[in-house]
Amino acid sequence: YLSGSRLTVSALADGAGLPLTTTIRRLDLLAANELVLRTPDPSDRRVIIAVLTEEGFAALAGAAPTHVEGVRR
């Protein structure tokens, strides 16, 4: 993932294997901490796009080594 990466909330939920409502609650927390921006899709106002911010990318990059180490155990 790169800073500025964009995914619809539905695609993010599907990819994470989470219910849409759970994904929305988690995105609310990430947005409150300025790690993700939620923007409307310009081609379909019913769709919300999640965009990783610079701060979100930094948090992801910082957490990645610990995550990888935990997965390898």
Side-chain angles (χ1 to χ4, degrees):
Y1 295 94
L2 300 174
S3 177
S5 291
R6 303 166 57 89
L7 282 174
T8 65
V9 175
S10 295
L12 187 57
D14 289 344
L18 295 171
L20 185 58
T21 55
T22 300
T23 303
I24 290 170
R25 283 194 303 269
R26 290 184 181 178
L27 282 175
D28 287 344
L29 294 172
L30 293 169
N33 287 297
E34 300 181 351
L35 301 174
V36 171
L37 294 175
R38 293 171 58 179
T39 60
D41 185 333
S43 64
D44 186 345
R45 294 180 58 163
R46 299 170 296 170
V47 176
I48 298 296
I49 298 173
V51 181
L52 191 61
T53 65
E54 291 291 329
E55 294 84 0
F57 178 75
L60 178 63
T66 303
H67 172 72
V68 169
E69 182 180 322
V71 169
R72 288 185 178 164
R73 288 185 187 177

